[in-house]
Amino acid sequence: MTDTDIHFYFDPVCPFAWMTSKWVRMVAAQRDYTVDWRFISLRLINSGIDYNSHFPAGYEEGHTSGLRLLRVAARARAEHGRAAVGSFYKTISSEIFDAPGAAQLKPTTRGSRAFVEPLLATAGLPTELAGALDDTQWDSEIRAEGDEGLSLTGRDVGTPIIHFSPPAGAAFFGPVISRLPGPAEAVRLWDHVTALAGFPGFAELKRSLRERPQLRSFGVQPGAAAVEEDWHAGSRQPAP
């Protein structure tokens, strides 16, 4: 692979991106890969859509909180370097999805200074970066980076997008996984995914019958028995 082995496009409020990112981190640690964490805002890519008619209640607030958090991430990158994004993402989304009170966390809370400031401190970043929550000057940068990711896959997807061995390697939406594999299984899964990605004719592999994501934000304790259901993850519609 190249100096930057993986470009990972994420929205911090997307549970599917979060689960996939944890898997990618496991593999990166074992294979000594480098990951460049990049932005894609579900709120911005759905900016032309009427939320009331296309999404369940609460999605607009949920996606908006993701955009607010990405503004903070963009400022952190500008002022503290690209490595700051990975630390911010890990700290913020771990609190959103894996903390004991995650299932009760409201979109308005996770997009607030009271929520973000202590987590910035945990990530080793200045708390004043939270001032970017309402700063729309970062939106053009976030939109451009999301458009970059969508130009690699086609626009009818969401997050995550993974670009392997950039700039010339393959890119696609997903994979969507509902639970975190163990270390050895994570590497085997990675090898299977990259083998598919490396075949020029590969386009899509999809399954709608799946288990609910094994995240506390969904009221599921990690390690619980799997219950499959016809539950739509939604490439552009992750839970708010």
Side-chain angles (χ1 to χ4, degrees):
M1 287 189 170
T2 59
D3 289 342
T4 301
D5 303 310
I6 304 158
H7 289 173
F8 190 101
Y9 296 82
F10 73 95
D11 186 309
V13 302
C14 175
F16 313 110
W18 174 239
M19 185 69 81
T20 301
S21 78
K22 294 199 290 183
W23 165 62
V24 167
R25 288 179 192 271
M26 291 177 67
V27 175
Q30 294 183 73
R31 292 283 177 86
D32 198 27
Y33 290 162
T34 57
V35 182
D36 187 27
W37 303 97
R38 299 190 169 206
F39 310 140
I40 181 169
S41 166
L42 290 163
R43 185 64 186 87
L44 292 180
I45 67 175
N46 288 300
S47 60
I49 292 177
D50 176 19
Y51 270 80
N52 290 332
S53 61
H54 285 80
F55 291 98
Y59 270 60
E60 184 170 11
E61 293 82 0
H63 290 178
T64 299
S65 71
L67 174 58
R68 290 169 61 81
L69 295 171
L70 284 174
R71 291 170 182 159
V72 178
R75 180 178 171 185
R77 184 171 69 182
E79 296 182 8
H80 300 278
R82 304 191 77 87
V85 178
S87 179
F88 176 78
Y89 179 30
K90 182 177 182 180
T91 304
I92 288 287
S93 294
S94 179
E95 188 70 16
I96 290 172
F97 297 113
D98 294 329
Q104 289 75 46
L105 191 63
K106 303 298 184 184
T108 51
T109 299
R110 68 190 185 204
S112 68
R113 291 185 72 113
F115 177 76
V116 172
E117 286 181 345
L119 295 175
L120 282 166
T122 299
L125 294 167
T127 58
E128 57 262 28
L129 293 175
L133 284 165
D134 297 303
D135 192 346
T136 58
Q137 72 167 332
W138 300 104
D139 291 5
S140 59
E141 178 181 339
I142 296 166
R143 185 186 295 275
E145 198 148 284
D147 286 344
E148 173 189 277
L150 294 171
S151 74
L152 301 169
T153 60
R155 299 198 65 86
D156 193 28
V157 300
T159 172
I161 291 172
I162 300 179
H163 189 186
F164 301 90
S165 301
F172 57 77
F173 162 70
V176 173
I177 58 175
S178 59
R179 61 175 59 216
L180 193 64
E185 190 180 16
V187 171
R188 287 196 300 272
L189 177 60
W190 178 264
D191 289 338
H192 293 317
V193 168
T194 54
L196 281 173
F199 176 62
F202 176 71
E204 183 176 21
L205 184 67
K206 190 170 183 178
R207 178 173 180 259
S208 60
L209 186 65
R210 65 193 72 183
E211 65 181 4
R212 190 169 287 272
Q214 304 297 287
L215 297 167
R216 286 193 173 95
S217 59
F218 284 82
V220 178
Q221 292 299 320
V227 178
E228 289 192 338
E229 50 188 314
D230 191 9
W231 187 78
H232 178 55
S235 60
R236 299 166 69 91
Q237 304 181 34

